[in-house]
Amino acid sequence: MTDSYTRLVNTGITKTLAKRLGLPRPAVLRRYAPGQPLTVGPVLVLSDAASKADADRVAQALLAWDLDVRRDPVEVRADPGRLGAAVLVLTELATPQDASEAVLATGSVLRKLAPQGRVVTVSRARTAEDSPELAAARQGVDAFCRSLAKELRAGATGNGVVLTDGAAADSTSALGALRFFLSARSAYVDGQLLEVGPTDAPLPTTWDRPLEGQVAAVTGAARGIGAAIARTLARDGATVVCVDVPAAGEGLARTANAVRGTALQLDVTAPDAGARLLEHARARHGRLDVVVHNAGITRDKLLANMDAARWDSVVAVNVASQLRINAQLLEAAERGEVSGLRVVSLASTSGLAGNRGQTNYSFTKAGVVGHTAATGPLLAAHGGTANAVAPGFIETDMTRAIPFATREVARRLSSLLQGGQPVDVAEAIAFLASPAAAGVNGQTLRVCGQNMVGR
Amino acid sequence: MATRSTAAATASRKAPKGTTAAPGLRDAVVVGGNRIPFSRAGKRYADASNQEMFTAALEGLVARFGLQGERLGEVVGGAVLKHSRDFNLVRECVLGSSLSPQTPAYDLQQACATGLEAAIAVANKIRLGQVESGVAGGTDTVSDAPIAVSEGLRRALLAASHAKTLQQRLKALARIRPGDLKPLTPATDEPRTGLSMGEHQAVTTARWGITREAQDEVALASHQNLARAWESGFFDDLVTPFRGLTRDDNLRPDTSAEKLAALKPVFGKSLATSGTPAEPTMTAGNSTPLTDGASAVLLASRDWAAEHDLPVLARFVDAETAAVDFVHGHEGLLMAPVHAVPRLLARNGLTLEDFDFFEIHEAFAATVLTTLAAWEDDEYCRTELGLPGALGKVDRSRVNVNGSSLAAGHPFAATGGRILATAAKLVAQRAAETGRPARALVSVCAAGGLGATAILESA
Ligand SMILES: NC(=O)c1ccc[n+]([C@@H]2O[C@H](COP(=O)([O-])OP(=O)(O)OC[C@H]3O[C@@H](n4cnc5c(N)ncnc54)[C@H](O)[C@@H]3O)[C@@H](O)[C@H]2O)c1
């Protein structure tokens, strides 16, 4: 399902030609398949001097995952083999001056990084109590990581785990996120820093079917990203309730039958949508553990030409429905009908950066980012989390409607030089729904190949 | 089947609070149903085969109830207009579905009563304990109907294929006449009378003095009721779109008494020459159009439904079929249900008043009206049905409350499944609202003077 340009510049004579002409050559991304090695090669763990103890703990955890862990950049440079990943632990970095040795060591191995390799920083979030030096150092990691990601090639990505509220470097939260970034599950996540907080949840001991025994509901599951989410959650062990409007029932039945789940023809804007979804999940499958708010629509118009129908329908589907359903789920949590509920909502990079012609859409998608931050703590009171995923340009029916030239530009405007696949968004959602993400709450994770658009 | 007593005798008896199952038999229940939207012949499903349509109906049912890989007791259904290559139509659909390939299936056909007869067959096996679960349904396409060759061409081709020498073969083929090359489109005319169903009904309509206005009223109500049911989301868990069609496309939510009154009669040509001359009253508006579509209903034992965490909408209480002598003009072609129902009620100790809903298949608006009129007629019920008096008056507000075939269309074998699923959901909803059991009487007339009827009760 790679786009035709990417196929062209990666095969045969056109590959040679593209190389000669110096055309951008997007890599065919390595995507997750159960049982595949976690990384494409050994993992080098580096740190600044103050973070050495944390780096040791992280290295221990990586060893427990049967990774080939290296600690010496000189040795890595001498090794004829390629490096699978570099993990840069900067948790105790105190001043900007202290980063030098560690970042230069990282730089010294970048040429050894294999295609599809990974660079992951582990650092701490800046807080209001930080001294100016500390704040400068911590904030510095943010843009360092993003810049480094932009220098990587051949499907390699750079991302960061950002610890909040004293979460330990070897906590479930930190290691869960680190593992996601190291794995092929994060193929199209690039240049992102994910905040993770403390959690009591233990680190999973098996990783192949993290959602085994759980029941997940996915809205907008008839096609596109929603169908991919249903397939991915089912692959990870969940029983999936597939929801879409009655008019999309044909595709919905196809998805439900493919994932051996059930089809629920339901408009998410119905006043009792949350209650009906919950009723279906509990009556048919005994429980509800994960809800993915994926249903969404676009009704693009310049604001000067916007009418009430366009504005109101986008608000109704993209954000108001999520708020109403979440409220009903929270009531159910109060009644003890659900616990530990994981909610993941679809935002969009348009909701972060804004997009011409999409005032309505970006208003709602930013609304998703906002309500997710507010809903997280409410669900946490019942052992759950709320997070969002902001896809960039994803190859679906929605984006196939974009004119060719605009579409071509949108694809290449990212560090990975291509659009993402629906499964890339689905993998991020599956991660946020999994036990390993227990410490991630209220966050919005971009899945955009580090699109140049937005913050 | 012998009736235990006359209907009138049992009518005086207080109906029990929910009829009891036949002794020694367990309950068969309706879990739910699924159909594809019905489409007027030659439109959206013009190139869809029976196999594709019934498979789609099954796939929607499987998705709704999570039956992927499930080995059901059996799938029973059929088509009225069927290609000879579809000799194992339902089994082929099962093999093309997400059900376990170990699910047995068989084809069955009883003209327009096919779907209901299939449900009777499945329910009976469930009640006997022979199967735990089953799907009953049907499919029909007029658009993709088999075209037969003329009798002359057929005989010539057969003779040619049996011929041993080239000469014999040429001789056989030489018998073909230009007229033989005209294809025979499938006829739904009655073989024994040569009359179409509409012409038959026209005679019955006239005999019972059913007016044009009354028929148009039934047609209007059908469209209005079906439109309201769609709008209210009643079909959200009964229908799965197919080939981009999301609603029955015969439905005219904006039709009106005036529009219906403006239509010219299309049936009743024979009336002028008949014994009782009368004005034709049956139009395209108050007769069902030719339609393509498919439907399926999931039935099960209570245990099976519970084990699979599935809802139970209604109990399939009992059924009765009948046939009438229409050939000699003694009874109307579509009057068989009129005969079946009194026997069914008597066996179950029920009267017409014991029903919350009546689902009477609208082959024609007049079919519903003649059925109701017959049951109200003292003389007729005495002489024709052997009852002590009129069977009773049906409360018209309980008839086809969510529309029927006039609005939805009527893909022959698919109609039974449509009606059963609707009736089962209606009684379940009513019982949930009132806390009391609710009952529905289902009646489907069919070509050949046949009729099938059944009782559903909230489970
Ligand atoms: N494709 C992209 O590039 C992209 C980028 C950013 C965000 N997103 C978001 O991802 C989500 C899925 O996008 P997609 O590209 O797969 O879109 P899509 O249009 O292919 O699929 C959306 C699905 O949602 C369903 N839906 C719409 N309104 C509904 C309602 N009221 N109730 C229930 N279901 C409803 C539709 O029927 C459809 O099946 C959307 O929220 C979208 O905003 C997509």
Side-chain angles (χ1 to χ4, degrees), chain A residues 117-251:
Chain A
R118 297 285 186 261
V119 178
V120 185
T121 60
V122 182
S123 62
R124 289 201 179 277
R126 181 167 62 79
T127 72
E129 291 82 51
D130 290 354
S131 69
E133 282 82 14
L134 187 56
R138 288 178 169 177
Q139 184 79 42
V141 177
D142 185 289
F144 164 75
C145 177
R146 293 178 202 270
S147 301
L148 170 54
K150 291 183 182 185
E151 295 176 10
L152 300 177
R153 291 289 172 266
T157 63
N159 293 290
V161 179
V162 180
L163 307 174
T164 65
D165 303 315
D170 59 349
S171 62
T172 297
S173 313
L175 295 176
L178 175 59
R179 189 181 169 106
F180 170 69
F181 284 137
L182 287 175
S183 76
R185 286 179 184 260
S186 63
Y188 197 63
V189 181
D190 196 9
Q192 302 309 307
L193 291 113
L194 181 64
E195 289 198 355
V196 302
T199 168
D200 300 335
L203 191 68
T205 47
T206 61
W207 296 88
D208 262 3
R209 288 171 67 83
L211 299 176
E212 190 72 63
Q214 301 207 3
V215 177
V218 180
T219 70
R223 64 178 205 182
I225 296 173
I229 297 168
R231 283 194 296 272
T232 305
L233 297 184
R235 180 205 65 197
D236 280 356
T239 300
V240 184
V241 175
C242 305
V243 181
D244 212 302
V245 288
E250 196 172 1

Side-chain angles (χ1 to χ4, degrees), chain A residues 220 222-225 244-245 248 266-269 294-297 317 346-348 361 365 391-394 396 398-399:
Chain A
R223 64 178 205 182
I225 296 173
D244 212 302
V245 288
L266 171 69
D267 188 327
V268 295
T269 63
N294 164 78
I297 57 170
V317 177
L346 267 286
S348 165
Y361 183 75
K365 291 301 185 181
F393 184 91
I394 307 297
T396 67
M398 200 184 242
T399 48

Side-chain angles (χ1 to χ4, degrees), chain B residues 387-456:
Chain B
L387 303 176
L391 181 66
K393 198 171 161 66
V394 169
D395 179 351
R396 287 286 296 276
S397 69
R398 300 180 178 188
V399 179
N400 300 343
V401 297
N402 279 351
S404 186
S405 305
L406 285 169
H410 169 44
F412 312 122
T415 289
R418 174 187 66 73
I419 292 181
L420 268 184
T422 290
K425 185 168 173 179
L426 282 171
V427 293
Q429 282 186 339
R430 178 60 59 85
E433 280 160 26
T434 62
R436 285 193 307 276
R439 245 178 247 119
L441 182 65
V442 173
S443 157
V444 179
C445 59
L450 295 164
T453 61
I455 298 172
L456 291 185

Side-chain angles (χ1 to χ4, degrees), chain A residues 246 250 257 261-263 265 284, chain B residues 59 63-64 68 236 239 241 243:
Chain A
E250 196 172 1
N257 287 340
T262 49
Q265 298 189 155
R284 298 291 183 77
Chain B
E59 283 297 83
R64 182 160 301 138
Q68 303 87 6
D236 284 0
V239 179
R243 298 207 172 187

Side-chain angles (χ1 to χ4, degrees), chain A residues 270-308:
Chain A
D272 58 349
R276 281 167 64 188
L277 199 155
L278 182 66
E279 208 280 319
H280 176 102
R282 296 204 340 135
R284 298 291 183 77
H285 310 293
R287 53 194 290 161
L288 182 62
D289 305 285
V290 177
V291 172
V292 182
H293 292 298
N294 164 78
I297 57 170
T298 52
R299 295 286 181 274
D300 297 358
K301 263 290 175 228
L302 294 176
L303 185 59
N305 303 327
M306 185 71 66
D307 55 30

